[in-house]
Amino acid sequence: MKALWCEQAWLEPGTIAAGVRAEVDDGGIVRSVMPGTQAEPLDLRLPGVVFPAAANAHSHAFHRALRGRTHSGTGTFWTWREAMYQAAGTLTPELYEELATAVYTEMVTAGWTSVAEFHYVHHRPGGGPYAPHGMELALARAAVAAGIRLTLLDTCYLSSGFGAPVQPEQARFSDGGAGAWLTRWKSLRDAVGAHFSAAQVTVGAAVHSVRAVDEPGLACIAQNLPAEVPLHIHLSEQPAENQDCLAATGLTPTGLLARHNLLSERLTVVHATHLSGKDIELLGQAGVTVAMCPTTEADLADGIGPARALRDAGAVVALGTDQHAVVDPWLEMRALEHGERLGSGERGRFSPAALVQAASAGGSRAQGRAAAGLQPGLVCDLVALDPATARTAGSDPGQLPLTATAQDVTAVVVGREVLARNGRHTRLGDPGTLLAAAIARLDEAAHLRRAES
């Protein structure tokens, strides 16, 4: 057993206790929690206020290369997507491993200790294969290097729209059919299981969207994907998706998933921004997880999703960073609540406790992982905040989720190891340095690619 002592700590159901000492076993699981105690000489000491670490419910790691590069002129999600395709076209396993390592390092230093990576850049440009699972294993190695827990959501992507083949820039995303994707998915799960601890890397699954997988494909996946595997899908992110789905099938995207028995507690729907009342009812009744990505949805002008209505209907809300315009769980929490306030004219739509629940336990559920926190049986993934910075000074400790940012994180613990202190990764150093180097190499590769073409 290893023990740690927290000056103050968040304990369920949202109280702040002083002098919290916890014992953690060799597997990184909390075995006992004792508030109101003094530290012992060999304890790991965490000053400030300690919270359950955040669990990132939705990530596209390569999108981080677009931060600060898509803001000239006007546009929509659809114009932004063209820049995203250009970035995707540059990736190789080596370049992606370097970039993802930097992105995951940034996540850890901000307080995210696990991530659901929604991954669809499987093959070479043009669709030819890499060595078996080259891109996927590169992401797994990146997660191990950064120490973040990875749920690799290998994604089925088969068309550019209802009844339309993939476009040339999408060719490397596609396996040609749902059956072929399932065959590769099963091989990937075996390969990851043979080389990585499940505490570090697991394989989940995703359907990119109802635009990208036709009804026979949805039926094939519903029938053949093992029931215990987490399944994710982008859902109703744009009004155009809803309109096209209605025109092609007579149903909303949610209704189409219901037709194929894909609505269940193992499903995570991402964004869910433009829903009908019936959609909200169906998603709530099924007990799905909804991965909201408020800073991305704002950055891309997607709209404000009905998070509170979904929670009230029975869905579980989680938070993700998606395209990484921001990699900061505290800002995602705040953006979730601020979106609700702007849409409703009311404050307190999500309490601080509900925000912590979404950022931590909600994201863990989306990943199919045990939740983090200071409670026996939970994973000892923790983040400590300084309550006396220019941003947090004077805050009620229980209300820090609405005042703190990643700049106020003093320590991040994964299992029993301190992986970050004051914005630096204890193994890899400054994430900014890593990101700058990785993005510069991507830029160089993109320049060479353009010159060759």
Side-chain angles (χ1 to χ4, degrees):
M1 290 283 185
K2 183 175 182 178
L4 56 85
W5 181 85
C6 309
E7 184 179 9
Q8 297 184 79
W10 174 283
L11 303 179
E12 294 297 338
T15 60
I16 301 291
V20 177
R21 187 171 188 270
E23 292 184 325
V24 185
D25 69 17
D26 291 344
I29 305 299
V30 176
R31 292 305 175 196
S32 66
V33 178
M34 296 159 283
T37 62
Q38 297 297 314
E40 296 187 9
L42 297 180
D43 290 353
L44 169 63
R45 299 187 183 208
L46 297 175
V49 185
V50 176
F51 288 83
N56 194 336
H58 188 66
S59 164
H60 302 289
F62 77 91
H63 290 190
R64 174 60 181 82
L66 299 176
R67 186 191 293 177
R69 298 183 171 197
T70 62
H71 303 293
S72 60
T74 60
T76 65
F77 165 85
W78 302 103
T79 51
W80 169 88
R81 192 174 71 158
E82 296 308 310
M84 182 271 287
Y85 283 152
Q86 291 175 18
T90 306
L91 296 173
T92 65
E94 295 76 21
L95 289 171
Y96 205 2
E97 183 171 347
E98 181 179 8
L99 178 62
T101 299
V103 174
Y104 294 155
T105 299
E106 182 183 10
M107 286 184 196
V108 169
T109 59
W112 305 100
T113 63
S114 62
V115 59
E117 181 64 36
F118 199 109
H119 167 68
Y120 50 81
V121 188
H122 304 302
H123 309 300
R124 297 179 185 274
Y130 286 109
H133 315 304
M135 293 293 264
E136 292 74 31
L137 295 178
L139 287 168
R141 290 191 298 270
V144 171
I148 200 166
R149 305 180 194 275
L150 173 67
T151 300
L152 182 58
L153 300 170
D154 195 86
T155 301
C156 186
Y157 195 128
L158 305 176
S159 68
S160 62
F162 293 91
V166 292
Q167 299 300 305
E169 64 269 22
Q170 300 166 328
R172 67 185 313 189
F173 307 162
S174 179
D175 290 293
W181 171 77
L182 276 163
T183 297
R184 187 179 56 75
W185 180 88
K186 291 174 182 176
S187 173
L188 172 63
R189 186 171 66 160
D190 289 344
V192 168
H195 292 96
F196 299 94
S197 160
Q200 183 75 69
V201 183
T202 59
V203 176
V207 170
H208 180 271
S209 58
V210 295
R211 290 182 287 110
V213 178
D214 61 15
E215 288 203 67
L218 293 175
C220 177
I221 292 167
Q223 293 165 12
N224 294 291
L225 188 71
E228 74 278 4
V229 174
L231 178 65
H232 291 222
I233 186 171
H234 295 120
L235 185 76
S236 292
E237 183 177 3
Q238 296 292 322
E241 177 187 332
N242 292 347
Q243 295 159 9
D244 291 348
C245 190
L246 281 166
T249 71
L251 296 168
T252 65
T254 298
L256 188 60
L257 296 181
R259 171 187 280 176
H260 292 284
N261 299 312
L262 285 165
L263 297 183
S264 71
E265 291 185 2
R266 69 99 165 250
L267 182 70
T268 294
V269 298
V270 182
H271 303 303
T273 308
H274 303 281
L275 301 177
S276 69
K278 182 61 175 178
D279 291 339
I280 293 170
E281 180 183 347
L282 285 170
L283 294 169
Q285 287 175 348
V288 306
T289 302
V290 182
M292 313 297 286
C293 306
T295 64
T296 285
E297 288 144 11
D299 183 77
L300 298 181
D302 285 345
I304 300 171
R308 174 62 186 268
L310 284 160
R311 190 190 71 169
D312 290 349
V316 173
V317 176
L319 292 172
T321 58
D322 193 2
Q323 57 129 344
H324 315 307
V326 174
V327 176
D328 187 329
W330 317 99
L331 293 183
E332 295 295 347
M333 288 185 240
R334 202 164 312 157
L336 180 69
E337 169 61 12
H338 286 177
E340 281 288 322
R341 292 183 185 188
L342 290 168
S344 69
E346 294 181 350
R347 303 176 81 237
R349 300 279 288 176
F350 282 84
S351 68
L355 294 173
V356 171
Q357 185 79 6
S360 185
S364 296
R365 185 185 197 248
Q367 298 172 31
R369 292 189 178 275
L374 286 171
Q375 182 175 316
L378 298 188
V379 177
C380 186
D381 284 11
L382 307 170
V383 56
L385 290 176
D386 183 347
T389 70
R391 293 160 296 280
T392 61
S395 297
D396 180 317
Q399 296 184 33
L400 284 168
L402 288 163
T403 62
T405 73
Q407 291 178 305
D408 305 310
V409 172
T410 59
V412 179
V413 176
V414 182
R416 305 195 311 171
E417 181 182 358
V418 178
L419 277 186
R421 288 194 183 275
N422 301 311
R424 290 185 63 86
H425 197 280
T426 55
R427 299 180 193 167
L428 301 177
D430 175 32
T433 301
L434 299 175
L435 286 160
I439 293 170
R441 272 187 267 280
L442 274 177
D443 289 345
E444 181 181 2
H447 176 75
L448 291 172
R449 189 166 175 257
R450 288 191 296 269
E452 290 171 355
S453 62

